Amino acid sequence: MKKKKVIIMGSGFSSLSASCYLAQAGFDVTILEKNDTIGGRARQFKKDGFVFDIGPTFYWMPDVFESFFNDFKTSTTNFYALKKLNPAYKVYFNKDESIAIEDDLEKIKSTFETIEPNSGKALQKFMKKSEDNYNIAIKDLVYNPGESVFEIVNWETITKSGAFIKTIKNQVAGYVKNKSLQKILEFPVLFLGAKPSNTPSFYNFMNYADFELGTWHPMGGMYEVVKGIEKLALSLGVKFETNRSVTAINLDGKQVKSVTTTQQDYPCDILLSGADYHHTETLLPEAFKQYSELYWDKKTFAPSALLFFVGFDKPIDKVTHHTLFFDTDFEAHAETIYDTKTWPEKPLFYASFPSKTDAVAAPEGKEAGIFLMPIAPDLEDTPEIRAKYFDKLMTRLEDTIGSDVRSHILFKESYCVNDFKDDYNSYKGNAYGLANTLLQTHILRPKLKSKKVDNLYFCGQLTVPGPGVPPSLISGKIVSELISKYSKS
């Protein structure tokens, strides 16, 4: 019997994941990628012996990655090597106050205790709730396709109903009073793309991922994970075509018959888009779009980002592999992202120095630095604005660590809103997808299966379960199951 042909648009983590599951299920799978390398946002930038991950730099929830490879009777260890980071990250609140989060909960509790008496015991109680929610989320919720609310309505979630009403911010304040400790407990939900004051407390399962499962680094960078999944996909028969930008989706009635690329047409029995959801629907006739421009415009998107990739001619002191600069008012910065949608005056930012862990990241005696500043999507993006904020970030870095860095810069490259739009067709240039707010959870997110085109499906961070690399791997799995379910006939 002839295999059904699946065309997948885009080669991000959700597409790569789906390709493996679909090939394993007996489909003929081809991935079309518009850029010259695969990986979607998880690409690399290389210059003068330096290697930078352009996209994700945090490797959290290692159990999800392991589960993915286990589904193919293999393991992460067959594709890349992991190193657990200690400290996992360091947070600066000002030049005189910083907290390093170590690789063990008992150590973290001791750190909390030195800052606020009895906060270690409070943290233990908080973590028990976090672990319970993690087990419910990962085992019962996130592997559901979002077709019915009854997928998530069961005794365990009903008893947790209060956790969907109270916010992370309110919950954290009930456990610790110290503002710095509160910021550390609120930090992980930033990966979900929303403010702690708008995120249901159920999502404190991210704290379990942080403190219990730890922060890891794939040696060689996050792109080693992409290469690992690519190797697995190729072994399953998946075909990859790069520099193939899809310019049209061709229908016959309510069925996709082919897609048109800049080079040729590709016929298919099923089309799966791991590309930007909004962009994909712009390739359809108006009558076959599920969501209007007004729908998308009203949604709460996770931030975009201004990124800098910097080569230094010497190691940078007083920073760790992952370093967070929370030395300004988070609420004021968050307001510019979600409310006023303006450039921030005093931004928080994150810096990654992978060469602290990985010799591949920089030549010997030098340092690779990645700087990320979250911003509202669709902001004006000019070289002058980028230069202004690079200066702000370098000034803050120098003031915080108390030493000169500017004179040691070999080069810098930037990446911002316009690049997200150009490289990924990203809606408004968002970097992380659709925020996980209460009204954008599960069934309230854009659907995996088109309601108007019978053989069109979607995966990735604009649909279920949400933003981030582990959720994207899960998204690829659940959409593949949905495709198999509806393609039996």
Side-chain angles (χ1 to χ4, degrees), residues 203-215:
Y203 285 100
N204 71 7
F205 66 75
M206 293 296 291
N207 294 99
Y208 178 77
D210 180 2
F211 288 175
E212 286 280 14
L213 300 181
T215 302

Side-chain angles (χ1 to χ4, degrees), residues 224-236:
E224 290 301 307
V225 185
V226 172
K227 288 161 63 177
I229 302 177
E230 177 192 29
K231 184 177 179 182
L232 173 63
L234 288 170
S235 74
L236 294 165

Side-chain angles (χ1 to χ4, degrees), residues 9 30 193 214 268 277 280 283 309 316 324 355 358-359 412 443 477-478 484:
M9 291 171 55
T30 299
C268 61
Y277 204 125
T280 303
L283 303 178
F309 307 99
I316 305 301
L324 304 164
S355 41
D358 196 339
K412 73 174 190 299
I443 196 172
K477 179 175 184 175
I478 57 182
S484 293

Side-chain angles (χ1 to χ4, degrees), residues 36-253:
D36 56 7
T37 59
I38 69 165
R41 285 165 167 79
R43 296 184 296 154
Q44 281 188 328
F45 164 59
K46 298 181 180 181
K47 183 172 180 175
D48 299 340
F50 290 82
V51 179
F52 304 89
D53 282 312
I54 293 178
T57 55
F58 263 83
Y59 190 102
W60 269 10
M61 301 168 70
D63 52 329
V64 174
F65 292 86
E66 196 60 47
S67 176
F68 167 77
F69 284 102
N70 289 171
D71 283 343
F72 302 93
K73 295 182 170 51
T74 186
S75 169
T76 56
T77 56
N78 293 321
F79 297 93
Y80 52 88
L82 288 170
K83 181 176 181 178
K84 193 174 188 182
L85 300 183
N86 188 27
Y89 52 89
K90 185 176 186 178
V91 185
Y92 274 104
F93 299 100
N94 56 60
K95 64 180 180 181
D96 299 317
E97 181 190 1
S98 65
I99 298 175
I101 298 301
E102 296 186 80
D103 62 346
D104 175 81
L105 181 58
E106 290 303 315
K107 297 175 186 174
I108 298 169
K109 283 163 56 181
S110 296
T111 298
F112 271 51
E113 199 69 37
T114 62
I115 296 167
E116 179 183 320
N118 297 317
S119 62
K121 291 180 180 178
L123 177 60
Q124 184 67 59
K125 293 177 182 177
F126 178 82
M127 290 304 299
K128 181 64 174 72
K129 289 182 179 292
S130 174
E131 181 179 10
D132 290 345
N133 289 344
Y134 189 88
N135 289 331
I136 293 171
I138 299 303
K139 294 176 183 175
D140 297 335
L141 300 187
V142 297
Y143 285 94
N144 287 305
E147 291 191 292
S148 166
V149 71
F150 293 106
E151 293 170 3
I152 60 170
V153 175
N154 55 44
W155 177 249
E156 285 188 298
T157 55
I158 288 171
T159 60
K160 294 279 184 181
S161 58
F164 290 94
I165 298 170
K166 183 181 286 189
T167 67
I168 286 284
K169 189 170 187 65
N170 289 338
Q171 185 189 43
V172 165
Y175 282 88
V176 293
K177 303 303 178 188
N178 180 274
K179 296 299 182 185
S180 297
L181 296 182
Q182 287 178 0
K183 286 182 181 179
I184 286 174
L185 289 177
E186 291 170 3
F187 152 66
V189 302
L190 300 182
F191 285 93
L192 303 173
K195 291 191 290 187
S197 56
N198 285 349
T199 305
S201 63
F202 177 77
Y203 285 100
N204 71 7
F205 66 75
M206 293 296 291
N207 294 99
Y208 178 77
D210 180 2
F211 288 175
E212 286 280 14
L213 300 181
T215 302
W216 300 74
H217 176 72
M219 299 305 288
M222 283 293 289
Y223 201 69
E224 290 301 307
V225 185
V226 172
K227 288 161 63 177
I229 302 177
E230 177 192 29
K231 184 177 179 182
L232 173 63
L234 288 170
S235 74
L236 294 165
V238 176
K239 295 174 283 295
F240 291 85
E241 300 268 4
T242 54
N243 296 304
R244 295 292 189 273
S245 181
V246 175
T247 56
I249 297 172
N250 307 309
L251 303 181
D252 181 3

